[in-house]
Amino acid sequence: MLLPFLIAMLLATLILLSVTRLATERLVRQHHGQKTDFFRAHPIQPGDIVFLGDSLNDGCRWHELFPDLPVKNRGINADTTEGVLRRLPEILEGKPAAIFLMIGTNDLPWYEYHADADILTHYRGILEKCRGMAPATRVYVQSLLPREATYTWRIRRLNDHLRALADEFGMTYIDLFPAFLGEHGGLKREITNDSLHLLAGGYAIWKSHLEPYLAEYRKP
């Protein structure tokens, strides 16, 4: 009797996981559509400074951190390297002054898993498109941030590749990883409440590291 019960429980769990995953994917698609529709209605303009990526960008009020600069937030919750590559042309058509890129952490978990080679292929495509469509736009490749400690070794390895890609394309690499790494091997506990997203203190650290790069875009 025990075996049929265990099989039934396993099937019920798999069904529940499938239903939950489908519901989550629907919400992600809806959110993505809402964001991209807004972005199309408010296109990038020449001279804009674009923060491009996923929920780590989406969750920040960059215009409040840098009120004296023409910043535009183009982060979308749950976006991936492939997603950024798809929506990049609309950003580049506006010929922004700079793009601060951080993307890739959503490519890592099992439910959205992409191999390192695929992530780096998408990254190369992003940088090639930037150079081809908007050669005057300065692109800043930011390292991936730490998250749960189990991801640390892979994030370190990917960041090494991102640094090499930035060098290859003559773009600026910004290594944020050490400033966010906690003693336990993951994201610093005092700047997050879920081991992934940032609290205000995390954005303060991020801002301080970007200030030297943004200084040149301030009018005298």
Side-chain angles (χ1 to χ4, degrees):
M1 295 294 293
L2 180 60
L3 183 58
F5 173 76
L6 292 176
I7 293 174
M9 290 297 294
L10 177 60
L11 289 174
T13 301
L14 291 174
I15 291 170
L16 180 60
L17 287 173
S18 297
V19 170
T20 302
R21 180 61 184 161
L22 289 172
T24 301
E25 289 176 348
R26 184 179 71 251
L27 290 173
V28 168
R29 287 196 301 270
Q30 290 171 342
H31 177 76
H32 194 279
Q34 293 156 8
K35 285 286 187 176
T36 53
D37 184 68
F38 182 88
F39 295 161
R40 291 188 198 100
H42 301 275
I44 298 299
Q45 303 296 321
D48 283 346
I49 298 169
V50 178
F51 290 87
L52 176 59
D54 48 41
S55 57
L56 291 167
N57 275 288
D58 194 3
C60 186
R61 301 298 175 259
W62 293 109
H63 63 286
E64 295 186 41
L65 294 184
F66 301 106
D68 57 335
L69 292 171
V71 298
K72 293 285 180 66
N73 191 335
R74 290 299 180 265
I76 297 182
N77 183 49
D79 211 358
T80 63
T81 52
E82 186 176 10
V84 164
L85 180 58
R86 283 199 303 267
R87 61 189 177 93
L88 186 60
E90 290 185 353
I91 294 170
L92 297 176
E93 286 169 1
K95 301 297 187 286
I99 294 175
F100 285 82
L101 173 67
M102 183 191 287
I103 190 66
T105 197
N106 291 320
D107 294 76
L108 305 181
W110 63 268
Y111 50 82
E112 192 68 62
Y113 182 84
H114 293 96
D116 288 6
D118 295 329
I119 295 170
L120 295 170
T121 295
H122 296 149
Y123 247 101
R124 178 175 291 278
I126 290 168
L127 301 187
E128 286 176 344
K129 200 171 289 290
C130 287
R131 187 169 63 181
M133 289 188 64
T137 298
R138 295 280 300 277
V139 178
Y140 298 84
V141 178
Q142 300 172 95
S143 66
L144 299 183
L145 300 185
R147 46 184 301 168
E148 297 92 340
T150 53
Y151 291 94
T152 297
W153 66 272
R154 190 176 178 202
I155 291 174
R156 286 184 183 275
R157 186 175 64 193
L158 279 168
N159 283 340
D160 287 341
H161 288 295
L162 295 184
R163 183 192 295 273
L165 272 177
D167 289 344
E168 178 184 338
F169 282 83
M171 296 171 178
T172 303
Y173 179 76
I174 304 176
D175 188 11
L176 299 171
F177 184 87
F180 287 81
L181 185 65
E183 294 180 359
H184 63 293
L187 187 61
K188 287 181 177 179
R189 289 172 178 159
E190 64 270 23
I191 60 172
T192 185
N193 59 6
D194 64 0
S195 298
L196 175 60
H197 299 96
L198 300 177
L199 299 174
Y203 286 111
I205 294 172
W206 198 345
K207 177 187 177 183
S208 70
H209 280 74
L210 295 187
E211 283 284 5
Y213 302 97
L214 288 163
E216 66 179 280
Y217 299 100
R218 290 189 169 94
K219 296 179 180 179

